[in-house]
Amino acid sequence: MLSFVYQTLPSRVVFGAGSLEKAPEEIERLGATRVLVITTPGRRPLDADLAARLGSKVAGLFDRAAMHAPIKVVQQARAEAERVRADCCLAIGGGSTTGVAKGIAMVSPLPIICIPTTYSGSEMTPVWGLTEDGVKKTGRDLRVQPKTVIYDPKLTISMPARLSVTSGMNAMAHCVEGLYAQDASPIVSLMAEEGIRTLAQSLPVVAKEPANIEARSLAFCGAWLSGCVLAAVGMALHHKLCHALGGAFGLPHAETHTVLLPYATAYNASAAPQAMERVARALGVKSAAQGLYELAGSTGDRISLKSLGMKREDLDRAAELATKNPYYNPRPLTKDAIRMLLEDAYEGRPPHA
Ligand code: NAD
């Protein structure tokens, strides 16, 4: 029987090549006059370029955002926002940058404007994450939901092929798990299936022609849809595994998603046949897990847990961490089965149901 709760979230999306130019008017729309611009160290020139465009609207720059929002970095960013008397945070960069802006918004009334440059999807969600003493805590809070998101596909052209595909697979993971979520609903499933379709069509093109603006636009549209899915429903095994491996073994976020998604999908295949049918249809293949495995390798460079630097002797602990606390998953979790899944992911073998 159909039964669900769905809540729309308040956010304004401005999408299109060249839309970065609309940043000044979007700031004015929010009534802000003192913006703190946030980015990662590697994206400093982007920061400076944006600051030049925004002129006197910029109260300060914070270019030390880091992956998984380490609490010390977030505290520095909060202090900077206070010091420059910011009335708005503008995050330009990947999920790490958005994460720091969310860390500020958790404890202040500052609205967030997000200008994403990767496919993480964080810009559409009320989900925050903070890392302290090697442990990442996450939660949902409407205060951290960005008020305005500007998607300018031109800003994604600088992503190298590998980052483009891994970041796209991170977005893909939100859509795949959205289709078998405990709180799935018809509208979320529509967004998820369309997100998979657009990502599957665009990522192989982006990997070969990083400057193809049409493919970049399509991929960014898929990332937007994936963020909407992540914002609306709870995730399952795949995201829990990535969270556990990222936190305990310091594995990189998007790459870990890329490696694990085909195996988590194969694990859940028999328990979520309708979701698998939709994933396969959107990918244009027969087997969802195999299709994802092929897409993950579309740069021609197959990554595995081994190639990401994980040690074989840590696989037992990883299986234990992933099954320690109970959570929703379509197929019941057993430590032995998860250990086998991790073994395949360690070697980078094709997934088997
Ligand atoms: P990231 O933001 O760490 O970026 C990865 C690297 O790519 C960085 O060095 C960055 O400077 C660089 N980069 C970013 N954009 C680029 C571009 N256009 N061209 C070239 N280089 C570029 O990585 P990410 O995968 O976007 O984000 C990961 C983080 O986001 C993790 O901490 C993850 O937990 C979080 N996240 C949160 C949510 C949420 O809803 N809260 C969702 C997804 C991810």
Side-chain angles (χ1 to χ4, degrees), residues 205-340:
V205 183
V206 158
K208 285 197 192 77
E209 304 166 36
N212 184 321
I213 195 70
E214 273 176 36
R216 286 290 187 184
S217 296
L218 201 59
F220 226 7
C221 189
W224 166 57
L225 289 163
S226 84
C228 296
V229 173
L230 182 64
V233 293
M235 298 283 113
L237 170 67
H238 170 77
H239 279 75
K240 302 286 177 194
L241 266 178
C242 291
H243 187 95
L245 296 192
F249 308 105
L251 297 190
H253 184 79
E255 282 94 336
T256 309
H257 274 274
T258 306
V259 171
L260 290 176
L261 185 60
Y263 307 104
T265 307
Y267 186 91
N268 282 327
S270 59
Q274 284 171 346
M276 294 303 144
E277 219 171 273
R278 292 184 82 157
V279 175
R281 184 167 68 197
L283 290 171
V285 297
K286 282 204 180 106
S287 153
Q290 186 61 30
L292 291 168
Y293 180 75
E294 274 154 28
L295 196 62
S298 55
T299 51
D301 163 28
R302 169 73 50 206
I303 54 175
S304 60
L305 292 182
K306 194 197 302 187
S307 77
L308 294 183
M310 188 151 177
K311 298 196 181 76
R312 171 169 260 124
E313 56 267 30
D314 284 333
L315 294 182
D316 284 339
R317 200 170 135 237
E320 202 170 304
L321 284 173
T323 48
K324 200 169 67 172
N325 301 315
Y327 53 86
Y328 164 79
N329 190 61
R331 179 179 156 195
L333 301 170
T334 66
K335 202 173 132 197
D336 287 350
I338 298 298
R339 177 65 179 77
M340 276 165 66

Side-chain angles (χ1 to χ4, degrees), residues 40 42-43 67-69 93-97 102 117-122 125 127-129 136 155-160 163 167 170 174 230 253-254:
T40 39
R43 309 301 289 154
M67 195 167 290
H68 303 311
S96 299
T97 307
K102 287 178 171 180
T117 63
T118 70
Y119 305 136
S120 83
S122 176
T125 81
V127 180
W128 56 264
K136 186 171 177 182
L155 296 175
T156 61
I157 285 177
S158 53
M159 266 197 286
L163 176 60
S167 190
N170 182 193
H174 309 329
L230 182 64
H253 184 79

